[in-house]
Amino acid sequence: MRDKRMSLDDVVGELRSGMTIGIGGWGSRRKPMALVRAILRSDLTDLTVVSYGGPDLGLLCSAGKVRKAYYGFVSLDSAPFYDPWFAKARIEGAITVREMDEGMVKCGLQAAAARLPFLPIRAGLGSAVMDFWEGELKTVASPYPASDGRTETLVAMPALNLDAALVHLDLGDKHGNAAYTGVDPYFDDLYCLSAERRYLSVDRLVETEELVKAVPQQAIILNRMMVDGVVEAPGGAHFTFSGSYGRDEKFQRHYVAAAKTPESWAEFKATYLDVSEDEYQAAVRAFATQEG
Amino acid sequence: MTDTTTSTRAEVCVVACAEIFRGAGEIMASPMSPVTTIGARLARLTFEPDLLLSDGEALYLAETPALGAKSPIEGWIPFSKVFDVVASGRRHVVMGANQIDRYGNQNLSAFGPLQRPTRQMFGVRGAPGNTINHATSYWVPKHNARVFCEQVDIVSGIGYDKVDPANPAFRFHHLHRVVSNLGVFDFGGPGHTLRALSLHPGVSADEVAENTAFEIAGLAEAGETRLPTEEELRIIRTVLDPKGIRDKEVTL
């Protein structure tokens, strides 16, 4: 069986500017942040991002990497809730958005996973979602009238086909089998099923035998067919949470505060972003010590 | 007997939020703030024992704990399955609102133009899917004319004037209540417009009118919101919210 181990920068080396990239996790929960940081270190740009957005989307916006975003929401999940860099990009009109209902993201990924052009869904009808999509979102009428002879017209959610998917899980092997260990798988399996190229980071890389002993079978949400590259990235979801550590609330607040002025952001960027992942993790440990 | 000297505005609001769920039966109650969460839990501990309540993350609670406290669980409800529940219709959500208009259109997305807003909030979240699939109510802890406005900037939750009567896909739309720090409302006014059902003790019709950008039906006739019973007060104060978190959310 193929050994799919790669480095963070190897993964980014396989991505191209202009790609449509799906980012797993949810809000500030189990985001592939180490992979996002690796994109920030690269010259990739002009990305279309599909996400249940959190600081992943925020950081990409901070570096001007995003041209277009498809999302159900963008949230940091704890105060102050609104991501400052996403907000700035929006207020400046720097990104085009295809905002949608949260359920439409799942629906669009399911369509892509099943290689369908669309799936019908009720969510979105009557709302501003139709306007956000500027003609890209259409409706479909049922060929089966109801018993009263009337016909339901629903949103035809288009497939969210991805060039690449980036996800982070707690535990995986070098072949791409992987499991979550928290309370929620989120939609990481669907992102992988919807993408041409699938990249996984894991907090802990283990042998297959250890993986299957460590978790219930139902928690192994990725199999080898769903993954092209595996990166061992301990703390790779930081400052969002993963199965084995909580969200770093202090650091997330630091991220938000740093976004307030160009000077504070320059300092944040120099300390945490213009550095390798190892240096990032060391700086984060120093921050935790300093903050007590 | 209880009276306004023994129950606070926040406690009146909690009971009004519990009343949102009266008759709901065996469905998932999804409150989105402390006061609405205390309300839903109060309903389950009193008149709606079959409600399903989650911890707000991924677990169904078997018991009805205090805010922030742990409870034995009875099931699993990760986000992916929440969307299945939404589509099934077996849910009643109580969302917040940055703006809400007379027909019940709600905004929690952003202010200003869609592609270049003046202020960014969450995006539409689950509001379009919630409002078209199952009962939806709103909780507004600070009732003012900026929230209760003539027209919302971005329609996240759909109002009655967005319903296409010729399209049966809209048949599950139902906005049940709006509870604010001033009163209890529904959309039973002419043409499904906001109507006052009751004002909280000490609130005048003038105060509500001054804090709402449009005319509210039935405002002059609205009675007084019922007070908590002794048992409800006991449950709120000693079981569900001993730390008084409710008082931080309700503006007087």
Side-chain angles (χ1 to χ4, degrees):
Chain A
M1 283 179 275
R2 283 198 294 147
D3 184 343
K4 297 174 183 170
R5 284 175 293 179
M6 303 174 75
S7 72
L8 293 167
D9 294 330
D10 288 342
V11 170
V12 174
E14 296 201 0
L15 306 178
R16 294 291 172 265
S17 291
M19 274 187 166
T20 297
I21 296 180
I23 302 179
W26 168 286
S28 189
R29 305 168 196 223
R30 218 182 66 230
K31 283 284 174 179
M33 297 297 279
L35 285 164
V36 168
R37 287 186 284 271
I39 292 177
L40 260 61
R41 289 192 296 271
S42 78
D43 58 6
L44 282 179
T45 186
D46 199 31
L47 300 175
T48 293
V49 175
V50 177
S51 180
Y52 286 103
D56 53 329
L57 191 50
L59 279 175
L60 292 172
C61 286
S62 80
K65 303 287 193 192
V66 184
R67 180 178 63 86
K68 196 173 183 183
Y70 290 72
Y71 56 87
F73 63 81
V74 179
S75 173
L76 297 176
D77 292 336
S78 56
F81 296 100
Y82 308 141
D83 182 275
W85 282 110
F86 172 69
K88 189 164 187 288
R90 289 275 286 136
I91 287 161
E92 290 174 354
I95 59 174
T96 298
V97 303
R98 295 291 177 255
E99 188 168 308
M100 71 192 101
D101 175 79
E102 292 171 16
M104 292 170 69
V105 179
K106 177 188 176 188
C107 186
L109 293 173
Q110 286 177 313
R115 302 180 296 174
L116 293 169
F118 71 91
L119 280 172
I121 187 169
R122 197 172 283 114
L125 288 175
S127 77
V129 167
M130 306 306 292
D131 306 319
F132 268 113
W133 283 59
E134 301 175 302
E136 280 183 29
L137 187 64
K138 302 188 189 306
T139 57
V140 60
S142 171
Y144 307 106
S147 52
D148 63 3
R150 297 196 302 161
T151 295
E152 270 193 77
T153 298
L154 298 156
V155 168
M157 180 63 208
L160 294 169
N161 295 303
L162 308 172
D163 294 313
L166 307 177
V167 302
H168 182 84
L169 288 173
D170 307 310
L171 204 61
D173 69 14
K174 63 186 173 192
H175 310 298
N177 299 299
Y180 71 102
T181 63
V183 288
D184 199 322
Y186 308 119
F187 300 84
D188 291 356
D189 50 348
L190 277 180
Y191 280 101
C192 289
L193 289 168
S194 302
E196 286 287 324
R197 305 286 299 168
R198 297 77 46 93
Y199 301 101
L200 160 72
S201 60
V202 292
D203 282 302
R204 216 153 58 84
L205 192 67
V206 296
E207 292 301 320
T208 308
E209 192 185 344
E210 188 182 342
L211 168 70
V212 299
K213 276 184 189 160
V215 296
Q217 291 91 327
Q218 295 89 333
I220 307 173
I221 58 172
L222 300 184
N223 60 57
R224 289 185 287 113
M225 292 185 289
M226 298 161 75
V227 175
D228 297 294
V230 181
V231 181
E232 184 169 30
H238 183 272
F239 45 91
T240 71
F241 64 68
S242 192
S244 52
Y245 46 90
R247 182 180 304 134
D248 189 341
E249 298 285 2
K250 278 183 184 169
F251 190 86
Q252 178 164 285
R253 285 196 294 273
H254 181 51
Y255 156 74
V256 172
K260 286 207 169 83
T261 69
E263 295 74 27
S264 56
W265 187 250
E267 192 182 331
F268 184 93
K269 193 165 171 290
T271 311
Y272 300 108
L273 300 175
D274 296 337
V275 298
S276 71
E277 179 65 15
D278 284 349
E279 289 165 327
Y280 170 84
Q281 296 290 348
V284 162
R285 281 191 295 275
F287 174 84
T289 307
Q290 178 196 322
E291 293 292 302
Chain B
M1 286 293 292
T2 58
D3 58 39
T4 47
T5 59
T6 60
S7 55
T8 66
R9 178 70 58 82
E11 287 158 353
V12 170
C13 289
V14 165
V15 170
C17 287
E19 287 288 345
I20 287 172
F21 297 102
R22 191 176 286 278
E26 200 158 35
I27 61 153
M28 181 178 186
S30 294
M32 298 286 176
S33 83
V35 163
T36 54
T37 299
I38 302 165
R41 292 184 186 187
L42 178 63
R44 184 156 88 163
L45 286 174
T46 53
F47 52 82
E48 288 297 329
D50 291 333
L51 287 175
L52 283 82
L53 295 170
S54 87
D55 64 352
E57 193 161 5
L59 303 170
Y60 277 127
L61 304 175
E63 292 177 6
T64 310
L67 268 193
K70 295 230 180 272
S71 155
I73 65 164
E74 64 167 336
W76 188 47
I77 184 70
F79 288 121
S80 180
K81 290 185 185 294
V82 173
F83 298 141
D84 296 341
V85 175
V86 169
S88 82
R90 295 185 177 278
R91 186 168 182 252
H92 189 150
V93 68
V94 189
M95 291 189 284
N98 295 88
Q99 295 175 314
I100 188 163
D101 75 11
R102 72 182 66 196
Y103 295 104
N105 293 292
Q106 168 254 26
N107 178 20
L108 48 61
S109 173
F111 293 139
L114 295 179
Q115 295 293 350
R116 190 164 186 168
T118 54
R119 180 166 181 243
Q120 179 64 43
M121 284 94 75
F122 284 122
V124 297
R125 296 218 79 153
N130 290 341
T131 49
I132 204 162
N133 276 301
H134 55 63
T136 299
S137 293
Y138 293 107
W139 158 241
V140 179
K142 189 172 184 178
H143 188 133
N144 64 45
R146 286 192 305 281
V147 175
F148 290 89
C149 62
E150 273 292 338
Q151 196 166 9
V152 306
D153 290 28
I154 294 173
V155 177
S156 311
I158 65 174
Y160 282 97
D161 61 339
K162 298 297 184 290
V163 172
D164 175 0
N167 182 1
F170 285 88
R171 68 193 181 280
F172 306 118
H173 177 258
H174 171 58
L175 305 180
H176 186 62
R177 291 275 190 281
V178 178
V179 176
S180 79
N181 60 319
L182 300 184
V184 180
F185 310 86
D186 71 0
F187 291 93
H192 286 294
T193 51
L194 194 74
R195 172 177 71 173
L197 293 178
S198 67
L199 306 184
H200 302 329
V203 176
S204 70
D206 284 347
E207 186 180 356
V208 176
E210 280 163 22
N211 285 288
T212 307
F214 50 86
E215 197 178 327
I216 298 179
L219 190 54
E221 304 84 63
E224 197 168 272
T225 309
R226 83 165 174 88
L227 293 169
T229 64
E230 292 283 2
E231 175 65 0
E232 286 168 338
L233 276 183
R234 184 191 66 77
I235 293 170
I236 294 167
R237 291 174 180 174
T238 67
V239 179
L240 294 176
D241 186 26
K243 291 178 185 161
I245 294 163
R246 60 192 178 280
D247 294 318
K248 296 195 180 88
E249 196 181 351
V250 178
T251 305
L252 281 183

